[in-house]
């Protein structure tokens, strides 16, 4: 008998890939989007809605059967017409509850925790944003943060959060470069601190960083 | 005549008590090499068979992406099904007759329903990670089994008979599997298998556990444990947030052996 380790426990029973659900009518699916970006909601691989940032919405179901839900980030578009952040797809799994509730937070993304930089551009130039510069998951976006403006918190770009995450802001047409890192020790004061803001209850689960001020 | 009789009785009583005490404590001086303590902790590898008796109604289910409902499975259509349980058991004595029993392990149990005119045959199996916590009290102990002489004589035999009571908690459902067997129009049996994809449908099962057993010493430190117990479930298997008005529960009878080391 083959045994496998699953969730820290030894299992000696082979599970079937065939799903089992209860023979009951499922009434609704509620999704809470805690991210600062719209997400596309899928039911059995078909999109059913685009849920705006920081919004809850219920979707009627009224049927029996196997229903799988998923979500995908809709990243803002850069000036090159391409997504200016990652767009991972997260699985919510088979719905078992008659009225199911799912919450999408920054640590629910497949591949790891994600974050979005809270940038205040107080310079006289537009800024261009690069995340995780010189890391394996470097993302050079063409998102422009206009001079004397904050980054939009209703449609923010997301990136993977790792031990070396950083944000680089380049002045477009100017000489300035602003560098924010998680670990600023030993770099002679060239960078500033990058940290997810867990203390602001109104942005819990969003993965928003503490303000990154370029001036 | 009465006073001498009382004196004689009391003398005999004291003598008997002293003799018993001396017999119990006699080995404490010369044989530390081959001696375990009745207050010593016991750790044992334990395993055995589990007989599961379902109560209530197993709910109608749909197996597969486009399957049809099976219909409810009343408790009267169930058969006792066998599984197994294995793990590590620990006894921490408070004194010579009472201790804390801990049991960590894995249990595979099953609920088996025969086919009727209203539903097909169903075999539901689940493997759960179990934690048992209880109080264990000895109703018989033989202190001579805790030590042997320098020549190796003694230190074996029936050591204790005990009763145990506590709770048995299913920490998590590690795996599950459902087999539904239907008979088609030409009499062929078709079996469809499936699994609940995640733990959302399951509660954390808690059961009241009673057991009785004995410990047999092969040597002062090595002992065999033979135990039989019954777990009476407090709550239903499936979560009420997922499935309303369902009372499907599982009770278990356990018969097993353990081999342990006593300090």
């Amino acid at each position: 008998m083959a045994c496998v380790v699953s969730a820290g426990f030894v299992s000696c029973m082979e599970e079937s890939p065939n799903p089992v659900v209860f023979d009951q009518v499922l009434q609704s699916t509620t999704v809470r989007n805690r991210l600062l970006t719209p997400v596309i909601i899928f039911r059995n691989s078909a999109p059913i809605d685009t849920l705006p940032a920081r919004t809850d919405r219920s979707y009627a179901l009224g049927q029996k059967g196997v229903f799988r839900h998923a979500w995908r980030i809709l990243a803002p578009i850069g000036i090159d017409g391409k997504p200016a952040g990652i767009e991972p797809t997260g699985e919510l799994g088979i719905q078992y509850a008659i009225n199911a509730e799912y919450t999408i937070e920054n640590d629910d993304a497949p591949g790891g925790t994600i974050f979005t930089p809270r940038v205040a551009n107080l310079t006289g130039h537009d800024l261009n944003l690069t995340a995780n510069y010189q890391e394996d998951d470097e993302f050079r976006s063409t998102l422009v943060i206009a001079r004397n403006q904050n980054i939009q918190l209703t449609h923010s770009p997301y990136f993977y959060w790792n031990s070396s995450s950083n944000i680089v802001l380049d002045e477009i047409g100017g000489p300035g470069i602003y560098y924010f890192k998680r670990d600023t020790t030993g770099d002679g004061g060239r960078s500033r601190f990058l940290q997810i803001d867990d203390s602001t209850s109104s942005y819990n689960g969003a993965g928003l960083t503490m303000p990154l001020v370029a001036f | 005549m009465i006073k001498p009789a009382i004196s004689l009785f009391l003398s005999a009583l004291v003598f008997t008590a002293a003799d018993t005490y001396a017999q119990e404590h006699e080995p404490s001086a010369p044989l530390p090499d081959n001696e375990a303590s009745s207050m010593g902790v016991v750790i044992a590898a334990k395993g055995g068979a589990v007989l599961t008796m379902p109560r209530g109604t197993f709910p109608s289910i749909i197996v597969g992406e486009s399957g049809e409902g099976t219909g409810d499975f009343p408790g009267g259509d169930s058969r006792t099904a066998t599984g197994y349980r294995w793990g590590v058991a620990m006894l921490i004595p408070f004194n010579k007759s009472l201790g804390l029993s801990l049991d960590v392990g894995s249990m595979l149990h099953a609920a088996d329903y025969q086919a009727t005119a209203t539903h097909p045959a169903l075999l539901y199996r689940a493997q759960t990670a179990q934690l048992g916590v209880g109080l264990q009290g000895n109703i018989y102990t033989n202190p001579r089994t805790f030590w042997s002489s320098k020549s190796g004589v003694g230190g074996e035999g029936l050591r204790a008979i005990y009763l145990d009571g506590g709770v048995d908690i299913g920490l998590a459902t590690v795996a599950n599997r459902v087999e539904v067997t239907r008979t088609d129009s030409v009499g062929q049996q078709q079996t469809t298998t499936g699994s609940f994809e995640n733990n959302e449908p399951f509660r954390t099962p808690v059961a009241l556990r009673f057991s009785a057993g004995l410990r047999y010493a092969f040597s002062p430190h090595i002992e065999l444990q033979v135990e039989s117990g019954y777990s009476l479930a407090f709550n239903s298997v499936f979560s009420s947030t997922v499935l309303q008005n369902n009372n499907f529960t599982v009770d278990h009878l356990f018969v097993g052996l353990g081999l342990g080391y006593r300090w």
Side-chain angles (χ1 to χ4, degrees):
Chain A
M1 180 166 44
C3 296
V4 297
V5 176
S6 167
F9 297 106
V10 177
S11 167
C12 298
M13 184 172 60
E14 186 184 354
E15 290 200 314
S16 169
N18 225 11
V20 173
V21 294
F22 297 111
D23 182 14
Q24 63 181 352
V25 175
L26 305 174
Q27 293 175 350
S28 68
T29 312
T30 299
V31 183
R32 308 181 197 285
N33 178 16
R34 291 284 170 268
L35 303 179
L36 294 165
T37 184
V39 293
I40 303 170
I41 306 299
F42 297 89
R43 175 176 287 163
N44 289 348
S45 303
I48 57 171
D49 192 20
T50 298
L51 186 59
R54 309 293 289 180
T55 303
D56 305 346
R57 198 168 280 174
S58 286
Y59 307 98
L61 189 44
Q63 295 178 64
K64 292 180 180 179
V66 179
F67 295 96
R68 290 185 176 85
H69 292 91
W71 55 275
R72 188 169 72 213
I73 284 180
L74 193 59
I77 300 298
I79 55 174
D80 61 354
K82 295 178 181 173
I86 58 171
E87 294 187 316
T89 300
E91 302 289 340
L92 298 172
I94 289 180
Q95 177 169 341
Y96 287 105
I98 296 170
N99 295 294
E101 295 184 2
Y102 301 106
T103 302
I104 301 167
E105 297 189 335
N106 68 307
D107 53 5
D108 296 325
T113 299
I114 57 177
F115 77 103
T116 186
R118 185 183 203 168
V119 177
N121 180 4
L122 303 184
T123 71
H125 295 85
D126 294 345
L127 296 176
N128 185 230
L129 184 151
T130 296
N132 297 338
Y133 176 65
Q134 289 190 335
E135 298 296 322
D136 291 342
D137 51 357
E138 178 180 291
F139 197 108
R140 289 176 179 271
S141 86
T142 56
L143 187 73
V144 172
I145 305 162
R147 69 192 69 178
N148 294 313
Q149 290 199 13
N150 297 331
I151 198 167
Q152 275 193 41
L153 294 184
T154 54
H155 200 167
S156 299
Y158 273 85
F159 310 100
Y160 283 110
W161 182 251
N162 57 52
S163 58
S164 303
S165 280
N166 60 68
I167 291 290
V168 177
L169 302 170
D170 293 291
E171 286 183 354
I172 300 173
I177 297 176
Y178 304 90
Y179 196 21
F180 301 87
K181 289 172 63 181
R182 291 194 62 184
D183 181 8
T184 60
T185 56
D187 70 351
R190 284 178 288 132
S191 65
R192 289 175 235 177
F193 194 44
L194 180 68
Q195 181 186 13
I196 289 180
D197 181 6
D198 294 321
S199 61
T200 311
S201 59
S202 57
Y203 289 117
N204 269 353
L208 183 66
T209 67
M210 300 293 272
L212 313 176
V213 182
F215 57 89
Chain B
M1 286 298 289
I2 294 175
K3 281 183 180 175
I6 292 173
S7 299
L8 191 63
F9 174 73
L10 289 175
S11 301
L13 195 64
V14 170
F15 178 80
T16 304
D19 183 56
T20 304
Y21 183 85
Q23 283 181 19
E24 284 186 8
H25 292 77
E26 184 185 12
S28 59
L31 41 86
D33 293 345
N34 259 343
E35 182 175 345
S37 170
S38 59
M39 294 288 289
V41 171
V42 183
I43 292 183
K46 197 162 115 181
V50 171
L51 304 179
T52 300
M53 287 136 287
R55 278 189 284 136
T57 300
F58 191 94
S60 179
I61 54 172
I62 297 170
V63 181
E65 302 281 351
S66 56
E68 59 185 57
T70 56
D72 288 340
F73 297 82
D77 297 339
S78 68
R79 298 175 285 206
T80 300
T82 56
Y84 59 84
R85 178 170 181 156
W86 51 266
V88 176
M90 187 176 186
L91 174 68
I92 305 170
F94 301 137
N95 54 44
K96 288 181 180 177
S97 56
L98 188 66
L100 174 71
S101 63
L102 299 170
D103 193 313
V104 180
S106 177
M107 179 170 71
L108 189 148
H109 64 272
D112 191 7
Y113 295 85
Q114 55 197 347
T116 67
T118 57
H119 62 72
L122 172 86
L123 177 62
Y124 163 77
R125 292 188 295 154
Q127 186 170 6
T128 51
Q130 294 289 135
L131 170 67
V133 181
L135 284 176
Q136 191 171 112
N138 292 330
I139 55 175
Y140 166 82
T141 51
N142 181 0
R144 285 197 175 274
T145 60
F146 290 101
W147 53 271
S148 61
S149 66
K150 282 182 176 174
S151 58
V153 177
E156 59 185 31
L158 181 62
R159 173 168 285 175
I161 298 174
Y162 63 84
L163 297 175
D164 195 309
V167 291
D168 202 16
I169 304 165
L171 297 174
T173 300
V174 182
N176 72 86
R177 184 179 173 93
V178 171
E179 296 177 10
V180 174
T181 303
R182 289 184 165 90
T183 305
D184 64 17
S185 56
V186 293
Q188 294 276 356
Q189 290 198 329
Q190 304 284 343
T191 299
T192 311
T193 63
S195 292
F196 292 100
E197 188 183 65
N198 54 48
N199 277 353
E200 192 187 342
F202 301 107
R203 278 178 191 260
T204 298
V206 180
L208 195 61
R209 176 176 57 94
F210 301 100
S211 57
L214 60 87
R215 297 176 183 277
Y216 184 92
F218 292 124
S219 73
H221 292 289
I222 306 297
E223 61 184 43
L224 177 74
Q225 194 177 347
V226 181
E227 186 177 291
S228 179
Y230 193 83
S231 293
L232 183 71
F234 278 142
N235 54 6
S236 54
V237 170
F238 297 117
S239 166
S240 60
T241 59
V242 166
L243 191 64
Q244 292 168 343
N245 304 320
N246 182 256
N247 58 356
F248 173 65
T249 56
V250 282
D251 300 331
H252 309 291
L253 176 67
F254 170 76
V255 181
L257 296 173
L259 188 62
Y261 183 88
R262 181 185 289 265
W263 273 265

